[in-house]
Amino acid sequence: MKIAIYPGSFDPITKGHLDILKNAAGIFDKVIIAVAHNGQKKGFLSVEERVKLIKASIQHLDNVEVDTFEGLTIEYAKRIGAEVLIRGLRAVSDFEYEMQLSQTNSALCDDIKTVFLTTKPKYNFISSSTIKEILNNNGDISKFVPEPVYEYLTKKKGNV
Ligand code: COA
């Protein structure tokens, strides 16, 4: 059974992430979308909120599960028996960082390989930060995030 993990902060999950996830689910037996607790990146949503929104957004993908982890991604991958790390590439600007991340992970454990998948061009410019900015400026985020995320964030914003 080939298990792949798709790590990230997913703060929040976007349609771009879902596109990568759907493609990965078609290639690997099981894909685990792994939400990183990242002490250096101040979160907008709590890890629990992110997991809840991911679960609600992936119900159509039978072989995808959600989990959380702390520490090194590669150690988490080893612990759960994953052989592959999925990373998404949106534009050339992602390449340098992703190359460095993948080579660092290979240096830490060469048995786990990074596989890069690209997003559809219509999702190339999306990032979690742009979504938060649009939301904070009362813009419409419905085109960029899955329905459950849209509903949750617009309701949450109305309550602040
Ligand atoms: N669609 C939409 N947005 C996407 C995307 C896609 N397909 N792919 C990436 N993004 C966005 C993310 O939402 C994020 O946006 P933001 O910066 O506005 O929040 C941005 O691009 C960066 O995403 P990503 O590269 O996935 O970073 P991340 O912070 O979400 O996750 C980790 C990076 C957690 C995988 C990485 O830091 C890590 O492995 N950390 C653990 C420690 C470790 O092992 N480090 C490596 C060895 S030193």
Side-chain angles (χ1 to χ4, degrees):
M1 175 136 158
K2 275 252 186 269
I3 303 177
I5 65 165
Y6 180 29
S9 39
F10 306 107
D11 188 24
I13 187 165
T14 68
K15 285 189 177 174
H17 294 128
L18 265 193
D19 190 34
I20 299 280
L21 205 51
K22 186 175 95 220
N23 291 336
I27 301 172
F28 300 100
D29 298 311
K30 183 154 118 181
V31 180
I32 297 173
I33 176 163
V35 181
H37 287 261
N38 185 346
Q40 285 168 356
K41 214 168 171 178
K42 196 181 166 312
F44 164 63
L45 297 172
S46 69
V47 170
E48 291 73 26
E49 287 176 299
R50 296 178 216 178
V51 168
K52 196 173 96 181
L53 293 177
I54 293 170
K55 275 193 185 146
S57 306
I58 59 165
Q59 282 176 354
H60 57 298
L61 298 170
D62 290 342
N63 58 339
V64 177
E65 292 172 14
V66 197
D67 196 7
T68 63
F69 71 99
E70 279 180 70
L72 291 178
T73 300
I74 208 82
E75 291 302 327
Y76 167 73
K78 276 199 252 175
R79 214 160 50 237
I80 61 157
E83 290 172 64
V84 173
L85 297 185
I86 304 288
R87 294 293 293 164
L89 285 179
R90 291 164 297 174
V92 179
S93 50
D94 284 342
F95 184 77
E96 212 169 314
Y97 168 69
E98 290 300 335
M99 187 79 174
Q100 190 194 18
L101 191 61
S102 130
Q103 288 173 339
T104 307
N105 284 328
S106 298
L108 292 170
C109 174
D110 198 32
D111 293 339
I112 298 174
K113 307 295 178 194
T114 301
V115 169
F116 295 110
L117 295 173
T118 54
T119 42
K120 288 197 182 70
K122 66 177 174 180
Y123 300 134
N124 268 358
F125 59 91
I126 305 178
S127 77
S128 299
S129 301
T130 50
I131 284 160
K132 286 174 255 186
E133 193 167 337
I134 297 168
L135 183 75
N136 286 335
N137 289 290
N138 304 312
D140 178 10
I141 57 165
S142 61
K143 270 193 253 169
F144 312 123
V145 293
E147 182 69 26
V149 178
Y150 173 72
E151 278 171 23
Y152 185 79
L153 292 186
T154 43
K155 211 178 279 169
K156 186 176 164 102
K157 186 167 191 304
N159 291 337
V160 264

